[in-house]
Amino acid sequence: MELLGLSAREIAAGVKAKKFTAEEAVRASIERIKRYDKKYNAIVALCEEEAVASAKRVDEAVARGEEPGALCGVPYVVKDNFCTKGIVTTCCSKMLKGWVPNYDATAVEKMKEAGAVLIGKANMDEFAMGSTTESSIFGATLNPRDRTRVPGGSSGGSAAAVAAGYVPVALGSDTGGSVRQPAAFCGVQGMKPSYGQISRYGIVAYASSLDQVGPLAANVGDLALLMDVLAKGDPNDTTCDAYERPSFTGAAAKASLAGKRVALLTGYDRGSLDAPLSAAIDRAVEICRAEGASIIDVKLPITMEHSVACYYMVALGDASSKLACYDGMRYGHHADGRNLSEMYKKSRMEGFGEEVRKRILVGTCILTRGYYENYFVPAMKVRQLISDEFKNLFEEADMLICPISPALAYKRGLGEKDPVRMYLGDVFTTIANLAGLPSVSLNLGFTAEGLPTNVQLLAPRFGDDGLLCCAAAIERAAGAPHIAELTEDD
Amino acid sequence: MKREVVIGLEIHLQLKTRTKLFCSCSTDYIGATPNTNVCPVCLAVPGTLPVINDLAVDLAVKMGLGLHCDIQDGTRFHRKHYFYADLPKAYQITQYEHAIAQGGYLDIIAEGKKKRVHLDHLHLEEDAGKLVHPTADGRLSGAAYSLVDYNRGGMPLSEIVSRPEMNSPAEALAYIAQIRQLARYLDVSDGEMESGSLRVDVNVSLSNPDGSLGTRVELKNINSLRSIGRALEYEIARQNRVLDEGGELEQETRLWDDAAGVTRSMRSKEGARDYRYYVEMDLAPIDAKPDYVRRIRESLPEMPWDKRDRFVSEYGLSLEESQQITEQREVADYYEEIVKAGAPAAKAANWMRTEVQRILRDDALDITEFPISARRLGELISKVEKKELSNTQAKDVLAAMYGEKLSLEEAMKKCGASGEKMTGGALEAVVEKVFASQPEAVDAIKKGADKKGAKVKFLQGLVMRETRGSADPAEVARTVAELLK
Ligand SMILES: [Zn+2]
């Protein structure tokens, strides 16, 4: 039985129908990782023993005739900032090197309940700060589509694991595009749900008001399946609403654009996009029109002008606050000092990498009296204006189409050479986080050189089901991406 | 030159909840093994998130309503940042610019005068852990290491901030006592200073000649009402002395050294510390819709000051008596039960303040532990009123009821106070007995040596004592005279 390239739905159905066992699916996944990941470095901790044991439990349950979950026997990986009970969780930072949580993140728990099997922890930018997965203490992940390029970040390991065919689905976290941009760079589908849709409990925080768990998969149907499993209220996270969710798989199965009002973002320099990405947008619009949607051109002047600055104000201010708990006292890297203050300084100086220190420093500055009033408070007001701009937009449209990133997957090393360009690359993704909107990164095929092209779709807050319905329709017309062909040689 | 004293108080009340403010750890930490009342949330383990304890919000709103504050809907928490070993998140979750209860006031009586003290606000916050320094005197200096106990970390506190409107130590003490009484009436907090469930920071300054506020000094680390009084007296005198000598006061925080009876400078320029307050995005704004506030308001008991004034008008007590009886809600309730059982209000008040309070004090009992029901005590007191028992007898009966756990009837029998008057033959027998014990006096009277009648009076007194007051004094006099013939 060839398991490579099967979707999560196909694997779950196969295990349920006893065409193959969960153990076989899990072992296939582990074998592929063992064979190729020395080259790609997407996985930072493989938990083979635990995975095989869980898979056997799933098989036993199936044998007993118990109702298996929606993801029964499906292998998956999570970004290394999800707490996993008994399995190292490091945020790819020296600060948490070797740290083993004694509890599972709610999202991990939900996956387990649905019968999914955790294979390992995926590489990421240290503490989710970066767009290239190059700042990990475990070294950079390579893009499975082109090893000279980065997989995007910060959930680069998760996106690469799906693109490489290690696992059909993976989980990442998206603070300013950290699921969608790597999905785009690696040629898979990625989603950032509405803020408050999935519990953040157990996700090591970057920025409380922006972070959201996001699924990655090779197709929209699997994204919807993960949404059904993950999007539930959680008493441990009071920002995760306890409302009754619609069926996301039901919505995706409809896959329809008929009668939909689709907004196309204009008012920025289309010429500044890499040509294949501009073409991908045209293609998506064409599909929408052909499928019976009406197209309107819209501008988001405040959003386009201010979102990046606003995003970094909010994110870095929050990050400096959330990362203050790493003081060397109770867990994580500890350095001795002659007094308390020296201990803090040395522990934090040694434990955090350069990008993280830089962001904490800027964030601390932003929250300092004076700067707070002059920079942070206005940023919060701008954030409200951005939300308002979207509220108005979604009164006349059901969905917005815009780019994910202005560029195709970057060559490795760009972050060091041109950090500002890298930050500006976030202009289109951060808006969804600032406004709390659901957003999907949708693959639209590949360039002649084999680089993935893509578009971003956005919908009103808690319009995640409608978004998946449209995304599935576009995917049906454009075709879902296939997994990458890997090589073992250099 | 007379400078006016200006005092403002910040009172931390530990709220009476079973679990901490943001997690489900027990609040029962006194005497618990260090670091046993902790969980991933209150230790700030990565990935954890705070969840608000609704009961703590209810209690804060209750207290706010008791203090006549405006309850705000949709208030938020802030993070107050500083690195310290007892603060796991490196920020304290507190309410900064959006306190749940705003404004308000408290009427106090100090040195016989009523006064209204206005409040700035009441807010909710979590407590920090505790450092233990393993030196002989428990101080940090000289210790090679320190231990941290996070059991107290995350305990729910409400901080009540007054405006600087108190003008004497007596007013400050009356204010604290009134807050404590209210907290106990509302069952919001134990309000005990010894166990730390009520903590007070004092701001004190002397007004300038032009009436403007002088340099403000904050006093911390004061653990009893008595110490607060002493610390204030000391600090006021110190500030006056510095100013009299032409010196200048520094804005600073001073610690009260109870043993030495002085305040000492802790750190100056406290105001310069930047806590980098930031909205706590992990917690949604607090819902306090008018409906909810109305429900809490309707659940409030009678306020202590209302009870105090009502006891004056309804029972005719003096303000002082009423104040004493209403000090504790349960005592006041007990008193009202006695009155309901038929005891006259004035006499009941007297009994409460003397006999009952004495037993409670001597045996360190709470009124709720007092074994004699209010109804029985009421009956006992009404027997005195009906002259079925003398005061002395009634006290003996109460002692027997309490000490020997007897019923009212049994105790009366035991004390020979069946309630019936001693007359006729029974009385004569007593008189004979007294005569027998005092042959010289009887002899002297019979010889006519008792010119002033002092010895007769003496014998009558002995008879009265012997009958425990159950005989009619006139009849006693008559019987004594007759038997002396
Ligand atoms: Zn706890």
Side-chain angles (χ1 to χ4, degrees):
Chain A
M1 180 83 210
E2 179 56 76
L3 296 171
L4 188 63
L6 290 188
S7 70
R9 278 166 304 164
E10 287 163 339
I11 292 176
V15 172
K16 269 181 227 181
K18 298 184 187 156
K19 281 194 206 152
F20 48 87
T21 64
E23 190 180 344
E24 282 172 300
V26 162
R27 284 199 191 277
S29 171
I30 291 168
E31 287 322 308
R32 191 162 169 88
I33 291 170
K34 280 183 168 174
R35 180 164 171 204
Y36 292 106
D37 206 48
K38 284 188 282 299
K39 280 279 162 294
Y40 293 90
N41 197 30
I43 307 298
V44 295
L46 189 65
C47 36
E48 182 172 1
E49 260 174 55
E50 295 94 331
V52 170
S54 314
K56 282 181 173 163
R57 277 196 297 277
V58 171
D59 287 329
E60 285 159 17
V62 172
R64 282 194 300 270
E66 284 169 25
E67 179 51 43
L71 292 170
C72 116
V74 173
Y76 79 104
V77 298
V78 290
K79 190 175 180 177
D80 201 29
N81 60 347
F82 284 61
C83 285
T84 44
K85 190 175 179 175
I87 297 166
V88 281
T89 298
T90 69
C91 290
C92 294
S93 174
K94 183 177 176 187
M95 186 51 97
L96 278 178
K97 200 170 181 183
W99 182 63
V100 179
N102 62 353
Y103 76 107
D104 274 327
T106 302
V108 171
E109 219 168 67
K110 297 272 174 246
M111 292 294 281
K112 196 178 275 174
E113 281 166 20
V117 178
L118 180 67
I119 302 293
K121 306 300 287 286
N123 206 358
M124 60 186 279
D125 282 302
E126 183 181 2
F127 277 101
M129 294 174 178
S131 314
T132 60
T133 312
E134 289 171 299
S135 67
S136 160
I137 43 157
F138 299 103
T141 296
L142 309 193
N143 191 324
R145 306 286 177 186
D146 176 349
R147 289 198 311 211
T148 67
R149 294 176 188 265
V150 300
S154 58
S155 311
S158 298
V162 174
Y166 297 167
V167 283
V169 290
L171 299 185
S173 66
D174 192 314
T175 306
S178 338
V179 162
R180 292 159 288 151
Q181 184 253 28
F185 281 14
C186 291
V188 298
Q189 319 295 36
M191 175 171 187
K192 183 207 89 79
S194 298
Y195 185 77
Q197 195 71 275
I198 300 180
S199 171
R200 290 183 293 119
Y201 187 74
I203 317 303
V204 179
Y206 173 176
S208 297
S209 67
L210 301 165
D211 292 348
Q212 188 64 201
V213 171
L216 292 124
N219 59 77
V220 173
D222 278 358
L223 290 183
L225 186 59
L226 288 173
M227 284 295 288
D228 274 349
V229 167
L230 298 170
K232 296 197 166 95
D234 180 7
N236 288 324
D237 176 1
T238 50
T239 63
C240 180
D241 301 34
Y243 83 107
E244 184 73 33
R245 269 75 170 173
S247 162
F248 297 106
T249 42
K254 253 193 248 155
S256 164
L257 283 156
K260 290 276 159 60
R261 301 163 302 166
V262 173
L264 173 66
L265 182 64
T266 63
Y268 64 97
D269 179 13
R270 269 288 277 276
S272 68
L273 300 185
D274 283 356
L277 295 174
S278 187
I281 288 175
D282 292 338
R283 173 99 196 278
V285 170
E286 260 167 52
I287 292 172
C288 288
R289 202 172 273 135
E291 296 271 332
S294 58
I295 312 291
I296 49 167
D297 285 353
V298 295
K299 287 193 176 81
L300 294 166
I302 298 168
T303 304
M304 292 310 293
E305 172 83 23
H306 300 293
S307 66
V308 172
C310 179
Y311 168 77
Y312 277 101
M313 285 289 155
V314 175
L316 301 195
D318 207 342
S320 74
S321 167
K322 286 307 273 190
L323 267 57
C325 63
Y326 303 96
D327 56 10
M329 283 279 299
R330 295 164 308 284
Y331 45 75
H333 181 74
H334 167 85
D336 282 326
R338 281 168 305 179
N339 53 46
L340 203 56
S341 152
E342 194 181 290
M343 188 211 86
Y344 290 144
K345 283 180 194 161
K346 278 173 74 180
S347 299
R348 289 168 66 77
M349 186 69 194
E350 294 172 9
F352 289 130
E354 199 183 325
E355 181 67 28
V356 176
R357 290 207 305 274
K358 186 163 78 187
R359 294 195 189 200
I360 290 175
L361 209 61
V362 175
T364 305
C365 234
I366 291 168
L367 296 188
T368 304
R369 201 172 293 159
Y371 291 95
Y372 183 84
E373 288 76 17
N374 292 324
Y375 293 95
F376 190 79
V377 173
M380 292 302 272
K381 285 184 186 143
V382 171
R383 185 177 186 181
Q384 186 57 49
L385 294 177
I386 291 174
S387 283
D388 293 346
E389 209 165 55
F390 275 101
K391 203 169 276 169
N392 292 336
L393 164 67
F394 285 123
E395 265 164 30
E396 45 188 281
D398 303 301
M399 187 175 77
L400 174 73
I401 295 183
C402 69
I404 285 279
S405 150
L408 296 162
Y410 312 138
K411 285 280 187 186
R412 292 169 56 197
L414 172 77
E416 275 164 37
K417 275 181 250 135
D418 194 353
V420 173
R421 183 169 164 215
M422 200 177 80
Y423 291 156
L424 289 177
D426 299 337
V427 60
F428 295 107
T429 47
T430 53
I431 54 183
N433 304 80
L434 287 170
L437 308 175
S439 159
V440 162
S441 166
L442 196 68
N443 178 271
L444 268 236
F446 296 83
T447 65
E449 299 78 42
L451 290 179
T453 67
N454 46 73
V455 292
Q456 176 174 219
L457 311 175
L458 295 111
R461 179 122 190 245
F462 293 117
D464 306 52
D465 50 336
L467 179 66
L468 286 164
C469 176
C470 294
I474 299 177
E475 184 191 65
R476 188 180 52 206
H482 293 285
I483 57 170
E485 254 177 61
L486 306 183
T487 58
E488 287 173 85
D489 33 79
D490 286 313
Chain B
M1 177 183 53
K2 181 102 173 70
R3 304 181 187 97
E4 198 182 22
V5 175
V6 181
I7 301 170
L9 297 176
E10 290 166 18
I11 296 186
H12 282 94
L13 273 182
Q14 189 176 298
L15 297 171
K16 240 173 152 178
T17 58
R18 279 191 310 103
T19 57
K20 291 184 181 181
L21 188 52
F22 298 118
C23 64
S24 53
C25 286
S26 167
T27 48
D28 194 10
Y29 75 96
I30 303 252
T33 310
N35 298 309
T36 50
N37 289 8
V38 294
C39 72
V41 174
C42 57
L43 287 180
V45 168
T48 55
L49 299 169
V51 174
I52 186 78
N53 181 340
D54 291 335
L55 180 60
V57 177
D58 292 352
L59 296 182
V61 168
K62 237 180 179 179
M63 192 68 190
L65 289 173
L67 291 167
H68 314 94
C69 301
D70 286 327
I71 305 301
Q72 310 293 308
D73 183 27
T75 57
R76 299 212 66 147
F77 282 97
H78 273 72
R79 300 175 186 162
K80 176 184 182 178
H81 299 84
Y82 59 93
F83 285 100
Y84 202 59
D86 62 5
L87 195 67
K89 291 185 285 284
Y91 55 77
Q92 177 197 26
I93 304 181
T94 178
Q95 291 192 310
Y96 174 49
E97 49 196 10
H98 309 291
I100 184 145
Q102 299 279 355
Y105 63 87
L106 188 66
D107 288 331
I108 59 169
I109 298 179
E111 293 165 322
K113 276 188 297 230
K114 266 200 185 187
K115 170 163 183 164
R116 177 159 293 185
V117 178
H118 292 89
L119 306 179
D120 190 75
H121 71 269
L122 171 152
H123 73 251
L124 270 165
E125 66 182 32
E126 60 176 340
D127 209 343
K130 228 174 173 170
L131 288 192
V132 183
H133 309 301
T135 49
D137 60 354
R139 285 178 184 282
L140 184 57
S141 56
Y145 62 92
S146 296
L147 303 168
V148 197
D149 178 5
Y150 291 109
N151 279 352
R152 203 182 66 182
M155 293 289 290
L157 302 178
S158 74
E159 183 176 339
I160 302 160
V161 180
S162 84
R163 296 214 191 123
E165 291 185 347
M166 284 154 276
N167 302 115
S168 69
E171 287 184 4
L173 296 182
Y175 172 86
I176 298 165
Q178 185 68 89
I179 293 261
R180 183 176 58 187
Q181 187 195 24
L182 177 64
R184 288 173 175 172
Y185 257 69
L186 300 182
D187 208 20
V188 153
S189 171
D190 296 338
E192 274 164 23
M193 289 192 82
E194 315 83 69
S195 65
S197 53
L198 187 152
R199 281 172 263 163
V200 185
D201 293 339
V202 183
N203 290 307
V204 55
S205 62
L206 300 177
S207 63
N208 295 320
D210 63 0
S212 64
L213 284 180
T215 305
R216 199 187 62 165
V217 170
E218 188 177 16
L219 304 180
K220 278 186 184 278
N221 201 28
I222 325 181
N223 300 321
S224 72
L225 272 183
R226 199 176 141 267
S227 303
I228 290 172
R230 288 175 66 209
L232 274 169
E233 298 288 1
Y234 175 88
E235 183 57 24
I236 291 163
R238 185 190 72 85
Q239 292 191 13
N240 265 314
R241 196 171 56 242
V242 171
L243 296 175
D244 286 346
E245 287 164 2
E248 258 182 57
L249 290 163
E250 204 184 335
Q251 181 166 331
E252 60 177 349
T253 297
R254 297 177 72 88
L255 293 182
W256 169 246
D257 183 336
D258 205 49
V262 297
T263 61
R264 297 183 203 283
S265 184
M266 182 167 88
R267 52 172 180 251
S268 52
K269 298 196 184 72
E270 172 73 4
R273 193 166 183 183
D274 186 354
Y275 288 113
R276 287 177 288 114
Y277 285 97
Y278 172 65
V279 174
E280 174 52 279
M281 299 282 194
D282 286 328
L283 289 165
I286 299 179
D287 259 344
K289 301 265 180 301
D291 238 28
Y292 161 82
V293 175
R294 187 179 43 76
R295 268 204 317 282
I296 300 261
R297 195 189 293 280
E298 282 167 2
S299 79
L300 294 181
E302 185 180 21
M303 294 294 130
W305 43 85
D306 291 337
K307 209 182 268 292
R308 180 195 64 210
D309 292 350
R310 179 169 64 81
F311 278 23
V312 170
S313 58
E314 195 172 330
Y315 301 126
L317 306 184
S318 75
L319 190 62
E320 195 209 337
E321 279 176 324
S322 181
Q323 180 97 16
Q324 248 184 46
I325 290 172
T326 55
E327 171 62 33
Q328 207 188 328
R329 185 171 150 189
E330 291 80 4
V331 171
D333 290 349
Y334 190 94
Y335 169 78
E336 289 209 275
E337 289 266 323
I338 302 178
V339 176
K340 245 184 248 157
K347 212 164 225 141
N350 203 21
W351 273 73
M352 284 302 295
R353 295 171 61 220
T354 55
E355 300 312 307
V356 177
Q357 287 296 357
R358 190 173 45 70
I359 294 175
L360 296 181
R361 197 177 49 242
D362 289 353
D363 291 355
L365 287 186
D366 195 82
I367 186 75
T368 54
E369 299 163 316
F370 190 58
I372 299 167
S373 77
R375 194 173 54 80
R376 298 307 261 172
L377 184 59
E379 286 171 27
L380 177 61
I381 299 171
S382 46
K383 281 191 191 299
V384 179
E385 183 64 13
K386 283 186 248 161
K387 295 216 161 38
E388 288 171 24
L389 286 176
S390 71
N391 242 324
T392 323
Q393 277 180 315
K395 284 174 194 172
D396 289 344
V397 170
L398 178 67
M401 286 169 77
Y402 175 71
E404 294 163 55
K405 300 189 170 58
L406 300 179
S407 70
L408 177 57
E409 292 74 19
E410 288 166 345
M412 282 174 65
K413 203 168 282 168
K414 166 103 201 308
C415 301
S418 59
E420 283 159 29
K421 291 280 177 198
M422 193 178 277
T423 57
L427 183 59
E428 276 172 26
V430 174
V431 175
E432 299 279 13
K433 194 175 146 204
V434 169
F435 282 6
S437 68
Q438 302 289 339
E440 295 97 39
V442 174
D443 216 37
I445 297 163
K446 284 189 173 166
K447 280 181 183 155
D450 187 26
K451 294 271 188 281
K452 288 176 183 164
K455 289 197 160 65
V456 171
K457 282 257 154 47
F458 167 67
L459 291 174
Q460 284 173 0
L462 288 179
V463 171
M464 284 305 286
R465 197 169 74 190
E466 198 67 19
T467 63
R468 309 192 72 82
S470 69
D472 176 32
E475 194 185 345
V476 169
R478 220 167 34 242
T479 313
V480 168
E482 224 152 80
L483 292 181
L484 278 171
K485 280 180 192 159

